[in-house]
Amino acid sequence: MEFKESEKLKDTTIPEVDFSTAREMQPYLKEPPQMYVGAPGKHGYLRLGFELDRWGKSILRDLDRRVPLIAQQELYFDQEMPEMPCLYILSSGGPNVDGDRYQQDITVRKDAFAWVSTGAATKLAEMRFNYSGMIQNIVLEENAYLEFMPEPVIPCRHTRFISDTRLNVHPTATVFYSEIYMGGRKYYRDGELFEFDILSVCSHGERPDGEQLFREKFVIDPNVVPIRQLGVMGKFDVFANVIVMTPKEHADRIYAATDAFIDREKKIAVGITHLPNDAGLLFKVLGMEPGPVKKLVREFCSKVRMEVKGKPVPKEFPWR
C-alpha cells in the first residue's frame, strides 16, 4: 500500500533527518513501496544526557528514545574507572534498511564522563529503492569526557548509507569518537566485499561558540572509484577512523607516544595526524579482520585515557 504525503502519520516531536539534498544520494530517492521513508518504527531517535549528581557521580540523567532505538540502563563495569557509566545502544528493528532514518543526540555536561557503545555490529541490509541515514550530535561541556566506541558497521550488497556527525566540544573537554567499517560480509557465500552502492560519512568539529574547527568527509562509491587501488583500501578489508578532540597539550603528548606503521606480515597499518586548529588528533587503522583493528583502536583509547584521566582502558571482554 502506498501513502500520499498528506496521509503519512508523522511524529512532529522527532527531529527530521533529511539527506535528500546530498549530491551523492540523488540516485537513491525513490520511495520504498513497502513502508514510506521515516514511517513509525523506521525513524529512530535517541537522546542521552550525562551529568554529575549531588554526590559527584556521573549518571545518565536525560533519556528519550523512539523505536527502534533502545538505550540499556547504564552500568558501571569498567574496572579501571568504576565511577564511569557505560551504556549500550541497541536496535529492535534488525539491520538498517532503505527508508530508515536515525538521529542520536549525546550530551555530557560539565565535569561528567561516560562510555557509549553498541550491543552488536550495525548491519546495513541490501537496499533497492532508497537509503539509510544517520545524524549524530555529540556535545561536551567544560572538562567533560566521552568514549564513543561502537561495534563495526557491516554494509551488505547494494547498501546505501549516509551519516553526519557533529562534535561540539568545549576546549577543556575530551571526546574519543571511533568508527569501524568492514568491507562487507567477507565470508558470506562466495564473499561480499565492497559490493555496496555508496557509503557517505561526514564528521565535523566545532566549539560551543560555533567556531568551525575541521570537517572530514569520505564518499565511497565502488562503481566510480576502484576500492582496491593504492591510496584507498588496497589489499585491506577493514577501516577504522578515530577522532580525538582534546586540549593541545594532551594531543601533543598522545601524538608523540603513538607510532605510525605498516606491518605487512600481520597485514595491518596505522596512521596518525593532527587535526586543524589544534582541535586534536585523527587516527586511522587498516586491517584484514575486525578483531586486530578493534584491538589497536582500544589500545589507542587507553593512551588517550591515561593522558586525560590517568587510568588505562581495561582488557576487552572475551565475548566482544
Side-chain angles (χ1 to χ4, degrees):
M1 180 177 181
E2 295 187 5
F3 289 83
K4 295 180 180 179
E5 188 70 26
S6 60
E7 294 174 338
K8 297 177 182 180
L9 301 177
K10 295 185 178 179
D11 186 344
T12 57
T13 65
I14 302 177
E16 187 69 25
V17 179
D18 184 15
F19 290 102
S20 60
T21 59
R23 182 175 60 181
E24 63 270 25
M25 307 313 291
Q26 293 304 304
Y28 312 114
L29 300 181
K30 185 177 180 180
E31 192 86 3
Q34 301 89 349
M35 293 184 71
Y36 59 84
V37 173
K42 292 174 64 64
H43 194 170
Y45 176 65
L46 180 64
R47 185 177 72 241
L48 305 174
F50 297 92
E51 65 179 56
L52 299 182
D53 64 11
R54 66 171 66 180
W55 297 281
K57 178 182 180 181
S58 188
I59 61 172
L60 178 64
R61 175 73 75 183
D62 185 22
L63 171 62
D64 186 18
R65 73 174 186 88
R66 302 290 188 275
V67 292
L69 293 179
I70 300 171
Q72 288 189 323
Q73 180 178 352
E74 74 274 28
L75 303 172
Y76 294 83
F77 55 70
D78 192 303
Q79 296 179 352
E80 299 295 338
M81 286 188 68
E83 69 277 14
M84 182 169 67
C86 303
L87 184 143
Y88 288 107
I89 299 173
L90 308 178
S91 174
S92 62
N96 292 25
V97 299
D98 46 1
D100 281 358
R101 302 291 188 268
Y102 298 102
Q103 179 163 335
Q104 296 180 165
D105 296 337
I106 302 174
T107 301
V108 186
R109 301 294 183 189
K110 180 181 177 181
D111 297 325
F113 40 90
W115 178 91
V116 177
S117 183
T118 54
T122 298
K123 289 85 172 178
L124 307 177
E126 182 173 348
M127 302 176 189
R128 299 183 180 181
F129 303 98
N130 203 261
Y131 64 91
S132 175
M134 163 76 84
I135 285 179
Q136 297 183 118
N137 295 301
I138 298 176
V139 178
L140 273 72
E141 296 183 357
E142 186 177 356
N143 294 317
Y145 179 83
L146 173 66
E147 294 174 1
F148 186 81
M149 301 176 66
E151 290 294 300
V153 174
I154 306 175
C156 298
R157 182 180 289 114
H158 296 309
T159 284
R160 300 90 175 255
F161 177 73
I162 183 170
S163 70
D164 185 90
T165 299
R166 180 178 65 98
L167 301 167
N168 185 299
V169 180
H170 191 277
T172 61
T174 297
V175 60
F176 183 96
Y177 175 84
S178 67
E179 300 171 313
I180 299 177
Y181 291 92
M182 297 182 63
R185 294 178 292 181
K186 187 173 182 177
Y187 301 107
Y188 174 73
R189 296 182 181 178
D190 297 327
E192 195 183 74
L193 283 175
F194 305 114
E195 295 187 12
F196 51 83
D197 286 340
I198 193 163
L199 290 182
S200 176
V201 180
C202 181
S203 303
H204 43 104
E206 63 184 32
R207 294 304 185 199
D209 61 3
E211 178 190 2
Q212 300 299 303
L213 301 176
F214 65 88
R215 183 175 185 269
E216 181 191 44
K217 181 173 182 176
F218 52 87
V219 178
I220 306 174
D221 187 341
N223 298 312
V224 175
V225 178
I227 298 297
R228 290 304 190 186
Q229 73 178 15
L230 187 66
V232 186
M233 288 297 293
K235 298 181 180 180
F236 297 104
D237 296 337
V238 184
F239 168 63
N241 195 52
V242 179
I243 295 173
V244 178
M245 294 183 67
T246 193
K248 184 179 184 303
E249 59 272 20
H250 292 324
D252 289 344
R253 286 191 286 266
I254 296 167
Y255 181 86
T258 305
D259 294 325
F261 65 86
I262 298 178
D263 190 325
R264 302 188 185 281
E265 181 178 347
K266 295 182 178 179
K267 297 181 179 179
I268 201 156
V270 169
I272 185 171
T273 188
H274 286 280
L275 288 170
N277 301 305
D278 293 329
L281 300 169
L282 187 63
F283 179 80
K284 298 179 184 287
V285 183
L286 292 172
M288 299 302 295
E289 302 292 342
V293 173
K294 289 171 58 179
K295 183 175 183 291
L296 285 172
V297 170
R298 195 172 181 86
E299 289 175 354
F300 182 61
C301 184
S302 188
K303 290 182 181 179
V304 174
R305 190 195 288 189
M306 278 295 297
E307 170 63 30
V308 178
K309 292 293 185 180
K311 300 177 182 179
V313 172
K315 291 184 179 180
E316 180 65 287
F317 294 121
W319 57 86
R320 297 280 287 179

